[in-house]
Amino acid sequence: MVEVKLHDIGEGMTEAVVVHYLVKKGEHVKADQPLVEVQTDKMVAEIPAPAAGTVDDIFIPEGQTVVVGTTLLSLRTENQQRVKEQLAAIVEREGERHFIQEPARRQRILASPYTRKIAREHGVDLALVNGTGPAGRITDDDVYCYLKAQQWQPVAEKPVQPQRTVTKTNENHEGIIPFRGRRKQIAKKMVQSLMTIAHCTHFEEIDVTELLAVREALKKQDVAISATAFFIKALSLALKQFPIFNARLDEENECIHLQTEHHFGIAVDTEEGLVVPVIKHVETKSLRQIHEEMKALTKKALENTLTISDMTGGTFTISNVGPLGGSIGATPIINYPEVALVAFHKTKKRPVVTENDEIAIRAMMNISMSFDHRVADGATAVAFTNYFAKLIENPNLMWMELI
């Protein structure tokens, strides 16, 4: 019997919800054919068949949350089914006669490679099997009869005992919301971050008037680039100047690893909760590439079709809550084990005193940057956001950096 278990699909998951079985009991399946859909904290994933065979039993009902390692269903493989049929035919032909003897003291065991393979697969010592072929050669039937005489079963008769499962919550109970799946994993991740990282949040105000003017000029040339794409590129340029915020703290080996590749996590709010797909190698990509990839990942996040590759490898995270409206500041929680996270808040037009002591209407945006105070100091965080603000407030400087 082949047990199909919930395995760790990635990112150290510990449990998942069984969403939907794609097969039924008794149905024949091919190797790698999807068997069941499970909802992890980040995505819906399919678990494929490890081998061709027939669905023998389904143990966990749909809608139930189970821990990693739990047996979801079992398969009777084609090889097992063939062995069972061959054994039944042999027993019917030969009756219950034994093919067992004490270990023979013969110099050489005669058996074909395939017969030896059958013996190995079922843990049979060929020295214990009485060969009925020419010159005492052991045949396939001899091995099967030996197994029958030993009361061996090709498939374990004892029922598979699923591992511990999480009790299903009565979702129809008034006033109760299930705390599981993605919501539970988000909670674990947040607590892990807060309990591990020495959070410190720095706030800054940035004038985005000139950047918005650049966007409008590009729109007139049928080039649509989101403001967030500009923010991401400017942050990547800032990380080149301050690589300490694109790092990993290795406490065990007492060192900080500075990462040269900029993989930006993009926080996306979905109906199932927060997910963070990753744009890889931002430092090498154009504004258009960043914009298009961000759109594609956001669409996949909202459609719940993100893959493990889409979700892993982040080195720095951003959260753009401005489009949601109303937010002027927050203290975002760092996406552990990263070192920093920057959140962009709502842009508002308001009167500002310029350097010439004149009052002008400018588009102002607040940002909040949470960083790991074990790794970097406040002065470094201020220098980082000042550099970022300079690029955003003076887009021409950004072009110079990109040349």
Side-chain angles (χ1 to χ4, degrees), residues 42 71 80 98 100 121 124 170 176 186 199-200 206 227 282 289 316 321 326 337 342 353 374:
K42 295 180 178 179
T71 300
Q80 291 172 323
H98 280 213
I100 305 174
E121 288 178 348
V124 174
N170 183 0
I176 292 179
I186 291 172
H199 278 71
C200 183
I206 298 177
V282 168
Q289 288 174 315
F316 189 94
V321 296
V342 171
V353 178
R374 300 173 302 167

Side-chain angles (χ1 to χ4, degrees), residues 228-244:
T228 305
F230 283 95
F231 298 156
I232 291 173
K233 194 62 183 181
L235 284 172
S236 179
L237 293 172
L239 288 176
K240 289 183 179 180
Q241 301 296 320
F242 301 90
I244 194 65

Side-chain angles (χ1 to χ4, degrees), residues 35-53:
L35 300 176
V36 57
E37 290 182 344
V38 295
Q39 170 74 64
T40 72
D41 58 316
K42 295 180 178 179
M43 69 192 76
V44 173
E46 294 177 344
I47 297 180

Side-chain angles (χ1 to χ4, degrees), residues 193 197-200 239 242-250 255-259 314-317 332-342 369-377 380-381:
S193 179
I197 295 175
H199 278 71
C200 183
L239 288 176
F242 301 90
I244 194 65
F245 296 114
N246 196 60
R248 287 285 188 278
L249 173 60
D250 185 348
C255 63
I256 298 172
H257 297 279
L258 301 180
Q259 301 172 110
T315 64
F316 189 94
T317 297
I333 298 174
I334 298 169
N335 189 15
Y336 178 86
E338 296 171 12
V339 169
L341 181 152
V342 171
M369 175 185 179
S370 290
F371 63 95
D372 190 339
H373 216 325
R374 300 173 302 167
V375 175
D377 296 325
T380 311

Side-chain angles (χ1 to χ4, degrees), residues 13-219:
M13 60 166 280
T14 58
E15 63 183 28
V17 178
V18 178
V19 177
H20 177 62
Y21 285 101
L22 305 174
V23 295
K24 298 179 180 179
K25 185 176 179 180
E27 183 176 339
H28 178 78
V29 298
K30 300 177 181 178
D32 297 323
Q33 178 180 333
L35 300 176
V36 57
E37 290 182 344
V38 295
Q39 170 74 64
T40 72
D41 58 316
K42 295 180 178 179
M43 69 192 76
V44 173
E46 294 177 344
I47 297 180
T54 303
V55 178
D56 187 75
D57 205 352
I58 294 176
F59 301 107
I60 306 299
E62 293 178 355
Q64 186 162 327
T65 301
V66 295
V67 297
V68 169
T70 300
T71 300
L72 305 178
L73 52 86
S74 59
L75 293 177
R76 187 185 302 278
T77 65
E78 292 180 342
N79 182 59
Q80 291 172 323
Q81 186 65 31
R82 186 172 63 252
V83 169
K84 183 178 181 181
E85 292 172 355
Q86 290 176 338
L87 180 56
I90 294 167
V91 170
E92 182 179 354
R93 183 176 69 250
E94 302 291 343
E96 296 294 332
R97 67 186 181 91
H98 280 213
F99 284 80
I100 305 174
Q101 65 178 29
E102 292 301 315
R105 295 186 178 182
R106 54 178 178 256
Q107 295 294 322
R108 182 183 178 192
I109 297 175
L110 300 177
S112 71
Y114 182 73
T115 301
R116 293 177 185 274
K117 180 176 180 293
I118 294 173
R120 284 196 306 271
E121 288 178 348
H122 302 298
V124 174
D125 182 358
L126 289 178
L128 300 177
V129 180
N130 183 29
T132 60
R137 176 180 292 274
I138 299 173
T139 66
D140 299 350
D141 288 354
D142 294 334
V143 176
Y144 294 136
C145 286
Y146 172 85
L147 291 170
K148 176 61 179 178
Q150 289 283 57
Q151 294 185 340
W152 175 88
Q153 297 294 333
V155 180
E157 290 298 322
K158 61 180 181 180
V160 178
Q161 296 296 328
Q163 298 186 15
R164 180 181 62 86
T165 61
V166 180
T167 303
K168 184 176 180 180
T169 305
N170 183 0
E171 299 183 27
N172 296 322
H173 194 288
E174 185 178 357
I176 292 179
I177 299 175
F179 183 62
R180 64 191 187 197
R182 184 177 297 174
R183 182 77 265 154
K184 187 174 182 180
Q185 291 303 316
I186 291 172
K188 288 181 179 180
K189 189 91 172 182
M190 296 300 100
V191 171
Q192 179 191 28
S193 179
L194 284 173
M195 296 296 290
T196 305
I197 295 175
H199 278 71
C200 183
T201 304
H202 164 62
F203 298 90
E204 189 56 85
E205 183 180 60
I206 298 177
D207 186 344
V208 296
T209 306
E210 299 302 324
L211 178 65
L212 296 181
V214 170
R215 287 192 64 224
E216 289 301 317
L218 290 174
K219 282 183 181 179

